[in-house]
Structure formats: structure tokens, C-alpha cells
């Protein structure tokens, strides 16, 4: 726990302002990229005195980061860098985060807060099934576990049989992995004749990919645990940007380090609290590769009401999706998480699905493939068709689009040890 999470709004604003002023001075002095951007925007460090002046500064985008790949945003000599991480780079060149000692300490601190928010203490045994390596998930949780002096089991992702053995042998109390992998673990446990609810797990922190309230309910039921949402991205620090407390009512943003804004993704205009838009983050304390007004492409809104847990930090709603994950089906904007929310209302289907988008005669077609339970699989074809039509009806009434729903045999949708692949867009091929 840190007192920074409980500051009065005035004290927090003063802290954020002071940190922003120092950040801008550093960037202007040491990073040519930012100096040029500020010149182009007609703004100088002297114009930035309060956190409210932030809107005068230019945005940074993922494309900018790719253009300066690998280390064009470095704000300190390379000798001060102690660790480098990179995003998976599935949508282009990877983006890099280079950490100084200061940055690694911040990472440990915010991830420590994250784990504590859900109730973890030094007495907990954290089975960390996020991937270790260049991906930030594994080491982010690892440093957080050290920060709160918990026991961390650095098993990394995959190796499912071993995960199950360790859950049993060591009595792990906390599970950290992607939400989709946690359900895969539960399924694998059952196949071995184990009840996932019989493990000693008390809670889990799940993130790195989109998921829904319905999926949370599945995970909580399967393991008999509390499942918390945790958010982060490589460009900012990795996991630890924001996470849920026991209230499970939005993720507290560690805004003494990561200052959030919400903008209209089309116009760049800053939106008032409560309005949904693209999350923009400024890292006000990082020193290695600090980022000014980074456009995350993630869609959410900010919640300022007082949280029952007592923390005063602003919260962000569970993500609705990312601007680049949004499907436009015949003019209607659809996020995979909205479809997931509908699918998981049905019994007899599994939380394993894929969305396949295709274009025929200039029209977009969406097919939703979802696994049925073994039970349903042995049912009559007529029944299956009825259920398919029913799900189609629910999708149509919830989202206003027609999707073709196809129930597929159990275990035919590929499982992932990291981030699940939910969308197959054949329109790009
Ligand atoms: P990449 O996926 O581009 O390789 P990252 O591993 O840094 O890079 O992924 C960060 C992205 O993952 C975020 O911008 C967001 O879209 C997604 N993400 C992270 N945490 C969550 C979460 N709790 N809910 C939904 N999406 C998340
Ligand atoms: Zn709270």
C-alpha cells in the first residue's frame, strides 16, 4: 500500500504538476524527437506549469514509436539503462521500453500495489503464468511480488501439466496469467480428474487481453476465486498501469506515475470524465523512455466517484476494446468483448470462440464460431440449430448486427498460452 493512492485531489494535482514540469524539461533537453514535436506545436517548456497544461503538448502514437525504433526515444545515456522489453510486434515492428533503475523501481512499486489491491500479502504464493522474456507480463508481476515480499513461482506461460502439478504441490494462492489461459488451465485440470475449485487459489490477476464480466464470472466459478482485471502496455511500463481493488468497480490508475486523459479518437479533443473514448497516457516519472501523451488505442472512460476502498485515484472502466480491434460490420461498430458478453450468457457453450470476418459482394459477413459443451455435442442436430438461431437473435438485439453463429465441436478452437486470438479478418488477406 502506498500513501500516493490516498492523496487528496489537490495534493495529487500538485504532485502531478511538479512531475510533468520536470518531465517536459527533460524531454526538451534530451530527446530531439520531442523537442522537434514541441517546436512544431509551437509550445515550449515554459508554457507547461500545471498538469492542466498537458493538452498543449503533442500526442505520441505507435507509429511514432516504430519510426524511432529501436532507441530513438531514449532520454538518458544507454549506460543508465538496466533492462529492455518489447511488445510482441504482431502488428508491425515491436515497440521498445528501456528501463533505468528508477523505472524498474516504479514498476515494482505499481505492480506491488496491484497485487495488494486485490488482497495479496507477503504470505501469498504467486504462480506467475504470464510469459517471461521480452513480453512485460512475466517480469512485471515478478517485480511486484518482490516488492510486497510475496513468494513468486516464475513458471512462465505454458507447460500446462506442470502448472497443475505446481498448483497442487505448492498450494499457490494467487494465479496470474491471461484470462483465456486461466480457463484453459481449468479445463486441463478437469481432464486430469482434478476439480479446479479444490486448489488453494484465493484470487487471480488477469489481463493483457480483452475479456468481459461474463468471462470473469466463469473464471471465478471455475476456481472459486476472485478474478481481478489488470491493465498495462509495453509503451507505458507493462502491467501495473491500472488494476482493480476488491470492489471490482473499475481499475485504479496509478496516476501519480501515469497521467490519463480520454480523447475523441477522431478529433483528438479531450473529453470530460465519464465519456467513452481513447485512453491517452503520459508517464510523468519514468526516466529511460518516458512518453508524452501516448495514444493507447484502448477504449474506456474515467470514473471519479469515490471508491468504497478509500483510494482516491481515478479509475478506468474495463476496456471496451481497442480502436484497431473494432470491427465495422456493415457500418456498425462492434468490439469482440460485446459479443463475448452475449455468448457467455448461454449455458452449454464454452468460453472459447473466434470471430471470422469476410467480405462477399462488397458486404461484410461476420461468423461467430463457438465451442459447445460435450453434453450438447451429443444432442440432436435440430437442437443445435435452435440454439444457434437463439444466439443470433440475442446478438442482433444487443448489437444490432446479423452474425452467423456456428457451434463447433468441443476443443476445436485453438488454445493460447498467452493472448488468445479472437478475430480472424479475412478481408485483409
Ligand atoms: P502487444 O499486444 O501490442 O504486443 P502489449 O503486450 O504491451 O503489446 O499489449 C498491450 C495491450 O494489451 C493494451 O494496449 C490492451 O489493448 C491490451 N490489454 C492489456 N491489458 C488488458 C486488459 N486488462 N483488458 C483488455 N485489454 C488489455
Ligand atoms: Zn477501490
Amino acid at each position: 500500500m502506498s500513501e500516493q493512492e490516498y492523496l487528496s485531489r489537490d495534493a495529487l494535482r500538485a504532485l502531478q504538476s511538479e512531475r510533468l514540469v520536470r518531465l517536459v524539461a527533460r524531454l526538451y533537453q534530451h530527446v530531439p524527437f520531442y523537442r522537434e514535436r514541441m517546436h512544431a506545436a509551437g509550445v515550449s517548456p515554459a508554457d507547461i506549469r500545471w498538469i492542466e497544461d498537458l493538452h498543449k503538448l503533442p500526442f505520441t502514437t505507435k507509429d511514432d514509436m516504430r519510426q524511432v525504433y529501436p532507441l530513438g526515444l531514449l532520454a538518458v545515456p544507454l549506460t543508465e539503462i538496466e533492462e529492455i522489453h518489447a511488445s510482441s510486434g504482431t502488428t508491425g515492428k515491436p515497440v521498445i521500453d528501456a528501463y533505468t533503475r528508477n523505472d524498474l523501481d516504479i514498476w515494482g512499486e505499481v505492480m506491488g500495489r496491484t497485487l495488494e489491491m486485490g488482497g495479496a500479502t507477503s504470505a501469498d504464493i504467486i504462480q506467475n503464468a504470464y510469459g517471461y522474456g521480452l513480453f512485460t507480463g512475466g517480469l512485471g508481476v515478478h517485480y511486484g511480488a518482490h516488492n510486497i515480499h510475496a513468494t513468486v513461482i516464475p513458471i512462465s506461460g505454458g507447460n500446462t501439466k506442470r502448472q497443475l502439478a505446481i498448483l497442487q504441490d505448492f498450494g499457490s494462492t494467487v494465479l496470474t496469467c491471461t484470462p483465456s489461459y486461466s480457463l484453459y488451465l481449468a479445463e486441463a485440470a478437469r481432464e486430469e480428474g482434478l476439480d479446479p475449485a479444490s486448489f488453494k487459489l484465493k484470487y487471480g490477476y488477469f489481463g493483457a487481453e480483452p475479456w468481459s464480466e461474463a468471462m470473469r464470472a466463469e473464471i471465478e466459478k471455475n476456481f472459486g476465486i476472485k478474478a481481478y482485471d489488470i491493465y498495462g502496455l509495453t509503451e507505458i511500463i507493462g502491467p501495473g498501469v491500472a488494476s482493480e481493488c476488491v470492489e471490482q468497480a473499475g481499475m485504479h490508475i496509478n496516476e501519480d506515475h501515469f497521467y490519463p486523459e480520454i480523447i475523441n479518437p477522431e478529433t483528438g479533443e479531450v473529453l470530460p470524465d465519464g465519456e467513452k473514448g481513447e485512453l491517452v497516457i503520459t508517464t510523468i516519472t519514468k526516466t529511460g523512455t518516458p512518453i508524452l501523451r501516448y495514444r493507447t488505442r484502448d477504449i474506456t472512460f474515467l470514473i471519479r466517484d469515490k471508491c468504497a476502498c478509500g483510494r482516491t485515484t481515478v479509475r478506468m472502466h474495463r476496456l471496451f476494446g481497442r480502436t484497431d480491434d473494432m470491427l465495422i460490420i456493415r457500418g456498425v461498430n462492434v468490439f469482440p468483448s460485446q459479443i463475448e458478453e452475449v455468448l457467455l450468457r448461454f449455458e452449454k457453450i464454452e468460453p472459447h470462440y473466434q470471430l471470422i470476418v469476410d467480405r462477399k459482394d462488397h458486404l461484410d459477413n461476420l461468423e461467430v464460431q463457438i465451442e459447445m459443451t460435450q453434453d450438447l455435442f451429443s444432442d440432436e442436430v435440430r437442437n443445435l440449430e435452435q440454439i444457434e438461431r437463439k444466439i443470433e437473435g440475442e446478438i442482433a438485439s444487443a448489437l444490432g448486427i446479423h452474425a452467423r453463429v456456428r457451434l463447433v465441436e468441443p476443443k476445436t478452437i485453438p488454445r493460447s498460452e498467452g493472448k488468445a486470438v479472437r478475430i480472424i479478418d479475412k478481408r485483409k488477406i
Side-chain angles (χ1 to χ4, degrees):
M1 197 175 79
S2 126
E3 68 183 63
Q4 255 73 337
E5 299 172 86
Y6 297 89
L7 291 179
S8 71
R9 290 309 307 178
D10 284 347
L12 188 57
R13 175 173 171 258
L15 182 70
Q16 289 168 329
S17 298
E18 175 203 318
R19 289 177 168 180
L20 177 68
V21 169
R22 278 195 281 157
L23 168 75
V24 170
R26 271 196 326 257
L27 292 179
Y28 190 83
Q29 201 182 350
H30 300 298
V31 188
F33 171 88
Y34 283 115
R35 190 162 50 237
E36 283 157 27
R37 280 296 167 92
M38 284 165 66
H39 283 160
V43 50
S44 81
D47 297 323
I48 309 301
R49 302 182 51 222
W50 294 101
I51 196 74
E52 287 82 359
D53 295 324
L54 189 58
H55 71 95
K56 299 176 184 165
L57 293 162
F59 292 117
T60 309
T61 64
K62 194 157 189 148
D63 279 344
D64 291 333
M65 299 204 66
R66 286 180 173 148
Q67 268 163 28
V68 297
Y69 176 86
L71 291 169
L73 290 186
L74 215 56
V76 294
L78 193 52
T79 49
E80 283 187 35
I81 297 301
E82 297 197 3
E83 194 164 313
I84 292 179
H85 284 269
S87 73
S88 50
T90 37
T91 55
K93 264 192 203 160
V95 295
I96 300 294
D97 195 353
Y99 305 69
T100 58
R101 184 69 252 162
N102 167 71
D103 302 340
L104 290 173
D105 290 344
I106 292 171
W107 203 10
E109 179 192 337
V110 292
M111 276 307 298
R113 284 184 198 174
T114 292
L115 297 169
E116 281 185 337
M117 258 186 232
T121 69
S122 59
D124 276 300
I125 302 173
I126 300 174
Q127 182 154 338
N128 186 14
Y130 281 113
Y132 278 67
L134 280 179
F135 173 62
T136 51
L139 281 162
V141 170
H142 194 90
Y143 297 145
H146 282 323
N147 181 270
I148 63 165
H149 305 287
T151 307
V152 60
I153 302 179
I155 181 160
S156 194
N159 214 338
T160 303
K161 283 209 157 45
R162 190 136 192 241
Q163 300 272 4
L164 295 176
I166 285 182
L167 274 167
Q168 288 179 287
D169 299 345
F170 292 84
S172 314
T173 53
V174 178
L175 177 64
T176 53
C177 60
T178 55
S180 55
Y181 187 61
S182 78
L183 286 176
Y184 179 52
L185 269 179
E187 182 179 85
R190 267 193 223 94
E191 264 164 30
E192 301 224 335
L194 303 167
D195 175 6
S198 69
F199 299 137
K200 297 245 167 65
L201 290 175
K202 291 187 288 190
Y203 18 73
Y205 299 85
F206 306 102
E209 67 180 9
W211 56 314
S212 61
E213 281 304 319
M215 185 123 161
R216 186 207 305 268
E218 285 278 334
I219 298 172
E220 295 195 330
K221 189 175 75 189
N222 266 282
F223 291 101
I225 61 172
K226 285 275 224 174
Y228 298 111
D229 199 0
I230 148 171
Y231 170 76
L233 60 167
T234 314
E235 295 88 320
I236 301 303
I237 199 152
V241 173
S243 60
E244 282 182 331
C245 64
V246 290
E247 302 297 327
Q248 296 179 315
M251 294 180 269
H252 286 275
I253 303 180
N254 289 303
E255 57 171 320
D256 51 325
H257 296 291
F258 313 116
Y259 188 82
E261 299 168 274
I262 300 287
I263 63 163
N264 174 329
E266 265 123 54
T267 62
E269 172 206 2
V270 179
L271 298 174
D273 289 339
E275 270 186 47
K276 210 191 225 182
E278 179 178 353
L279 177 67
V280 170
I281 299 176
T282 299
T283 62
I284 51 180
T285 50
K286 261 175 42 170
T287 54
T289 45
I291 292 241
L292 211 51
R293 304 192 81 199
Y294 183 66
R295 294 189 57 162
T296 63
R297 307 192 202 184
D298 292 321
I299 306 291
T300 182
F301 63 81
L302 298 181
I303 307 162
R304 294 248 180 229
D305 316 344
K306 204 166 164 25
C307 184
C309 77
R311 287 179 184 78
T312 52
T313 45
V314 65
R315 282 164 289 151
M316 59 185 261
H317 187 272
R318 163 192 288 297
L319 288 194
F320 294 94
R322 346 185 346 159
T323 51
D324 47 359
D325 245 15
M326 188 179 75
L327 295 167
I328 302 183
I329 306 294
R330 302 189 186 185
V332 181
N333 299 349
V334 179
F335 288 109
S337 56
Q338 293 174 292
I339 294 186
E340 178 178 302
E341 196 74 61
V342 174
L343 296 180
L344 301 191
R345 281 188 218 146
F346 288 83
E347 279 169 26
K348 299 202 174 174
I349 58 175
E350 299 284 354
H352 303 290
Y353 67 93
Q354 254 173 356
L355 311 179
I356 295 138
V357 196
D358 210 344
R359 182 166 285 170
K360 275 197 197 95
D361 303 328
H362 308 293
L363 282 179
D364 297 327
N365 290 301
L366 173 63
E367 179 170 289
V368 179
Q369 295 191 352
I370 173 149
E371 276 181 22
M372 52 189 137
T373 54
Q374 197 61 44
D375 204 26
L376 186 60
F377 184 45
S378 36
D379 220 323
E380 281 178 40
V381 178
R382 192 160 40 87
N383 279 345
L384 299 186
E385 283 172 356
Q386 260 174 12
I387 295 177
E388 288 175 341
R389 295 300 86 77
K390 208 163 163 215
I391 301 176
E392 286 172 2
E394 294 262 330
I395 292 177
S397 75
L399 299 165
I401 54 161
H402 175 76
R404 184 164 174 261
V405 171
R406 211 151 64 79
L407 292 168
V408 297
E409 286 179 32
K411 316 237 155 60
T412 48
I413 305 247
R415 306 290 193 261
S416 160
E417 289 164 358
K419 301 187 186 217
V421 179
R422 299 294 194 199
I423 301 176
I424 297 174
D425 195 339
K426 294 187 174 164
R427 295 176 297 186
K428 285 183 200 142
I429 300 167

